Amino acid sequence: MIESLKSVLLVLLIGTSLYQSFILASYSPPKIEPIRQSNYVQTETLGKQAELSDMLFPDQLIIHLGNQQHSVLYPSNYYYTRLLDNIKQRSFKGFRKTSMYLVNVNWEEVRTKQLGVEIRFREGIPFSILQQLFRIEGEIPVENDKITKIWIYSKGTNDEVRAFFFTDSPGVGYEVIGADFTSKDVENFVAYGEPSNLYKTMNGGDYYLPLKPLHLPSFTFTYSQLTADQLKQSLFVDPGITRYLKERDGSEIYTDSKRGFQLNRDQRWVTYFDPVAPAASKTEVLEDLMAGIKFINQHIGWDGKYMVAHTPEKQLDNQTFIFRQYYESLPIVTAQPEGFGTMNMQVQKGVISGFERSMVIPDLKSGQRKENELMSGEAIEQRLQYYQRRSSIVSIFPAYRPVILEKTLTLTSTWAIELRDGTYDFIE
């Protein structure tokens, strides 16, 4: 009897429990708190997006007119753009590695007497990236050489056109086996030269200086600066968990525990860092460059026109790229590495492990123009007679030198000197 009562009681308890569970499931669903939108913010870009094609262009186009006459064209110039577009429509196919000293070419004669065009890249570009600018067909050389200039020339009507790719290794170059150019094409290219603004060669053709002064304007802009809040919104997935630390030198560090950035307000400079685990395998320079451009497009954006100015020397695990800002036809150059106009980026296996750039964002619509005259080549030569580092000069070219005051940014046109150690100086 007692055992029967226990069984009945157990059945009642189980039934009651099941009934209560049904009631709870039907009428009292669990309360789930949604994630607050204020704590999760999509990244915001502060500038425009850009493509690799927007950042690949030569520093100079040097036109050899014959009779020891030369013309130099700079980016954004009308004739520069037309000539470069024409060359892009042609193709280079097949390369033969050679010594530029032993090849059967008298380069001084080619420079001074024959019609031709030099396409110059000051710091050099690898074949894989150059292939994104020009029609380079067939297999490209597997070496890590950087191409510093392409020289296309012809001796005259109906004569053979030859094309050579010079590298950053002294005396090493490539002869193009199948260049899609005729002597008539070269004549048409040379027609883009400006006989009214001639240049003379200096230091064996390392650089060219004008016979007459250049008239290049200077500009003054108002500007704003990147703020910590803007950078948090742009670089962090969850800005709400950002931690802040102030260093002894006055710089400020912001981190979301995974990545972070440092602000140096005195130098108006920001450094972003994202520790990346060592890569198991190496990546191609072009792939890392594309990843870097994509990252800036998605997070910060580009606040002006930039050029791919420097690529890694070799295919290393951690690739370093430098983007240089241009305004109109001229690059923006500073004497110190950390200065307005450059963006330094480190990429490891497609992941951006760090970048540095100026906090200054000029308001390009506010620009006030002032006419300026740059001295002629003869005046530059006189100045260089007393220049202590003359033997270290690699190149001389017109550039904008930025001067940042409390409320304004001035881009002053000037002659820049590139030195062998990678630094710059100026001829005032």
Side-chain angles (χ1 to χ4, degrees):
M1 183 68 179
I2 294 176
E3 294 298 328
S4 299
L5 288 174
K6 286 182 178 180
S7 298
V8 171
L9 182 60
L10 180 61
V11 170
L12 289 174
L13 289 173
I14 294 174
T16 303
S17 176
L18 292 173
Y19 177 74
Q20 289 176 339
S21 298
F22 172 77
I23 295 298
L24 288 172
S26 301
Y27 299 102
S28 300
K31 294 182 180 181
I32 301 176
E33 284 193 24
I35 297 176
R36 294 172 57 191
Q37 291 298 318
S38 60
N39 289 339
Y40 185 87
V41 183
Q42 295 291 333
T43 57
E44 300 177 0
T45 57
L46 307 176
K48 297 180 179 179
Q49 294 195 350
E51 302 293 334
L52 175 58
S53 57
D54 301 325
M55 304 182 185
L56 287 180
F57 51 91
D59 297 274
Q60 298 175 339
L61 296 178
I62 299 174
I63 300 176
H64 302 293
L65 305 167
N67 298 320
Q68 300 186 8
Q69 294 184 329
H70 315 275
S71 181
V72 179
L73 303 178
Y74 302 102
S76 299
N77 173 280
Y78 172 77
Y79 296 112
Y80 171 102
T81 304
R82 290 287 304 276
L83 175 53
L84 186 60
D85 286 344
N86 275 327
I87 295 174
K88 286 181 180 179
Q89 296 173 13
R90 305 297 181 175
S91 63
F92 303 92
K93 186 174 182 179
F95 298 89
R96 181 189 299 116
K97 193 169 186 177
T98 183
S99 167
M100 307 309 286
Y101 301 130
L102 299 178
V103 68
N104 188 25
V105 177
N106 183 332
W107 291 108
E108 184 60 27
E109 182 176 312
V110 170
R111 177 183 294 108
T112 58
K113 296 182 180 180
Q114 296 174 11
L115 303 181
V117 176
E118 280 186 65
I119 306 167
R120 292 200 166 191
F121 302 91
R122 185 169 296 114
E123 295 195 40
I125 294 183
F127 265 106
S128 59
I129 297 177
L130 193 62
Q131 201 171 24
Q132 310 303 308
L133 177 63
F134 296 118
R135 292 172 56 187
I136 298 177
E137 301 178 355
E139 293 186 8
I140 62 174
V142 296
E143 289 86 350
N144 295 321
D145 296 318
K146 290 185 180 181
I147 304 304
T148 56
K149 66 182 175 183
I150 302 172
W151 198 328
I152 307 164
Y153 70 93
S154 169
K155 292 183 178 180
T157 306
N158 299 323
D159 280 343
E160 177 188 8
V161 175
R162 302 186 73 179
F164 289 86
F165 283 47
F166 290 69
T167 74
D168 58 345
S169 301
V172 177
Y174 295 88
E175 181 174 7
V176 180
I177 299 173
D180 182 24
F181 300 98
T182 66
S183 57
K184 185 63 177 177
D185 291 327
V186 176
E187 288 182 19
N188 292 335
F189 295 163
V190 170
Y192 288 106
E194 299 181 87
S196 61
N197 189 18
L198 297 177
Y199 285 66
K200 64 178 179 178
T201 180
M202 295 290 297
N203 201 28
D206 285 346
Y207 49 90
Y208 291 77
L209 299 177
L211 300 182
K212 299 186 297 185
L214 291 184
H215 295 275
L216 293 168
S218 297
F219 295 89
T220 299
F221 307 91
T222 58
Y223 68 87
S224 59
Q225 294 191 62
L226 291 172
T227 67
D229 285 341
Q230 286 176 319
L231 291 166
K232 286 189 292 184
Q233 298 286 349
S234 298
L235 297 172
F236 295 162
V237 174
D238 188 354
I241 62 172
T242 302
R243 291 186 299 167
Y244 168 81
L245 176 66
K246 191 162 186 176
E247 297 286 88
R248 291 183 178 180
D249 62 359
S251 62
E252 305 167 15
I253 295 178
Y254 297 82
T255 176
D256 66 353
S257 298
K258 182 181 184 299
R259 58 186 65 83
F261 61 87
Q262 182 176 22
L263 299 183
N264 188 320
R265 297 188 184 277
D266 291 339
Q267 297 181 5
R268 301 182 178 90
W269 195 252
V270 57
T271 301
Y272 167 84
F273 48 89
D274 182 2
V276 179
S281 60
K282 297 177 182 179
T283 52
E284 297 295 329
V285 174
L286 177 59
E287 293 176 5
D288 280 343
L289 174 59
M290 296 293 289
I293 293 173
K294 181 179 179 181
F295 178 87
I296 297 300
N297 281 340
Q298 292 177 337
H299 294 275
I300 297 292
W302 305 88
D303 57 314
K305 179 180 180 180
Y306 282 80
M307 166 200 275
V308 179
H310 174 83
T311 59
E313 298 300 326
K314 296 180 180 179
Q315 293 176 333
L316 304 174
D317 291 340
N318 195 16
Q319 313 267 26
T320 299
F321 299 90
I322 298 177
F323 300 88
R324 183 170 302 283
Q325 190 169 0
Y326 267 67
Y327 188 72
E328 294 197 339
S329 294
L330 304 182
I332 299 173
V333 174
T334 58
Q336 68 278 13
E338 296 182 354
F340 175 81
T342 60
M343 181 187 297
N344 307 322
M345 179 181 295
Q346 294 79 43
V347 186
Q348 184 172 322
K349 200 172 176 55
V351 178
I352 285 63
S353 57
F355 75 81
E356 303 173 86
R357 60 153 294 156
S358 172
M359 296 170 61
V360 173
I361 306 292
D363 179 5
L364 299 180
K365 295 180 180 179
S366 69
Q368 296 182 356
R369 179 187 179 110
K370 180 181 178 182
E371 297 304 319
N372 192 25
E373 181 178 277
L374 273 61
M375 67 184 72
S376 67
E378 182 178 356
I380 292 175
E381 285 187 273
Q382 292 177 359
R383 293 284 184 90
L384 292 180
Q385 289 180 4
Y386 307 99
Y387 189 65
Q388 294 182 351
R389 303 183 66 185
R390 182 166 184 170
S391 60
S392 298
I393 295 176
V394 174
S395 179
I396 301 177
F397 57 95
Y400 280 121
R401 184 179 188 182
V403 178
I404 302 176
L405 301 178
E406 185 177 350
K407 295 183 179 180
T408 60
L409 161 69
T410 298
L411 298 179
T412 303
S413 56
T414 185
W415 285 107
I417 300 176
E418 181 184 8
L419 299 168
R420 205 169 301 280
D421 61 2
T423 60
Y424 295 92
D425 201 353
F426 302 93
I427 304 175
E428 302 297 348

